[in-house]
């Protein structure tokens, strides 16, 4: 059973996730600023001079106010094991699953993708608060090659928060596991329990 640990190498970053649709940027605020600035033209009665207020349209270039990690390749200097209620770390060293780098690419005004060690990207969506979530995916891992009637269902995802300047990025990887089949009892006898989960907080260093 020593090779069982190989089956618990949870593919947090090596899974192709469906791409999120680009969200349109919010330019309405810029239009409101434009109408306010044009009020100076009231001195002439006709308001014609107020057309100069159109310079306010330049603010559109700064319309992207949703915090996202800066683009580029982030290095991963380590991790903290946040949660491991069923003792997965005893079967698989979490450090062996942590990528050495994370690639970030922006999409639209609020979305971005994350790829670990140049692997397939995960699609993520950010909020104005700085919080973000990446698509969750489920994979199945059969243990039939080991003579065990069990299929492990693995849900994996990434979430966290980003600072306003995009240079402080929290990356939390989450894995949830359930088991189906008569062999699940054998796995529980080895010390696992289902459903099982684990969370890692990666130390990401900006490019």
């Amino acid at each position: 059973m020593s090779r069982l640990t190989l089956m618990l190498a949870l593919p947090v970053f090596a899974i192709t996730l469906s791409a999120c649709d680009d969200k349109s940027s919010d330019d309405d605020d810029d239009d409101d600023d434009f109408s306010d600035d044009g009020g100076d033209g009231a001195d002439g009665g006709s308001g014609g001079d107020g057309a100069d207020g159109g310079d306010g349209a330049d603010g559109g270039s700064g319309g992207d106010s949703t915090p996202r990690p800066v683009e580029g390749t982030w290095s991963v200097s380590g991790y903290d094991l946040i949660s491991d209620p069923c003792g997965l770390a005893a079967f698989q060293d979490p450090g062996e699953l942590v990528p050495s780098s994370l690639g970030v690419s922006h999409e639209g005004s609020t979305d971005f993708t994350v790829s670990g060690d140049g692997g397939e990207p995960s699609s993520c969506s950010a909020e104005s608060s700085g919080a973000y979530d990446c698509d969750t995916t489920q994979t199945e891992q059969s243990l039939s090659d080991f003579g065990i009637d069990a299929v492990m269902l693995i849900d994996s995802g990434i979430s966290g928060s980003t600072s306003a300047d995009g240079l402080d990025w929290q990356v939390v990887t989450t894995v949830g596991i359930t088991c189906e089949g008569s062999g699940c009892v054998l796995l529980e006898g080895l010390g696992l329990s289902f459903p099982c989960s684990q969370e890692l907080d990666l130390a990401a260093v900006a490019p």
Side-chain angles (χ1 to χ4, degrees):
M1 301 302 297
S2 62
R3 292 186 60 198
L4 179 60
T5 56
L6 296 178
M7 310 305 292
L8 299 177
L10 311 179
V12 176
F13 295 98
I15 300 169
T16 302
L17 302 178
S18 59
C20 293
D21 293 332
D22 289 342
K23 297 182 176 62
S24 59
S25 60
D26 184 5
D27 294 326
D28 292 342
D29 292 342
D30 294 332
D31 294 339
D32 293 341
D33 293 341
F34 172 82
S35 61
D36 291 342
D37 293 342
D40 293 338
D43 294 340
S46 63
D49 292 340
D52 293 338
D55 292 340
D58 293 339
S61 62
D64 182 6
S65 59
T66 301
R68 291 180 289 180
V70 298
E71 292 187 292
T73 301
W74 293 62
S75 60
V76 179
S77 61
Y79 71 93
D80 287 325
L81 182 59
I82 301 175
S83 175
D84 189 22
C86 47
L88 279 177
F91 292 84
Q92 173 68 59
D93 180 6
E96 296 178 359
L97 308 178
V98 175
S100 60
S101 66
L102 297 170
V104 174
S105 179
H106 291 177
E107 292 186 341
S109 61
T110 61
D111 297 345
F112 62 98
T113 63
V114 181
S115 58
D117 290 334
E120 295 291 341
S122 301
S123 295
C124 310
S125 183
E127 301 177 1
S128 59
S129 64
Y132 73 90
D133 277 296
C134 301
D135 290 348
T136 300
T137 190
Q138 185 180 86
T139 57
E140 295 184 2
Q141 182 66 70
S142 173
L143 302 185
S144 60
D145 289 346
F146 299 92
I148 302 174
D149 177 24
V151 175
M152 302 178 73
L153 306 178
I154 306 171
D155 290 318
S156 57
I158 307 172
S159 63
S161 61
T162 312
S163 63
D165 60 6
L167 295 174
D168 186 5
W169 181 31
Q170 180 192 38
V171 182
V172 177
T173 65
T174 303
V175 172
I177 304 176
T178 57
C179 186
E180 296 180 352
S182 61
C184 296
V185 176
L186 174 60
L187 298 179
E188 292 177 339
L190 294 174
L192 286 176
S193 60
F194 300 102
C196 195
S197 64
Q198 187 180 81
E199 286 186 328
L200 301 178
D201 188 356
L202 307 188
V205 181

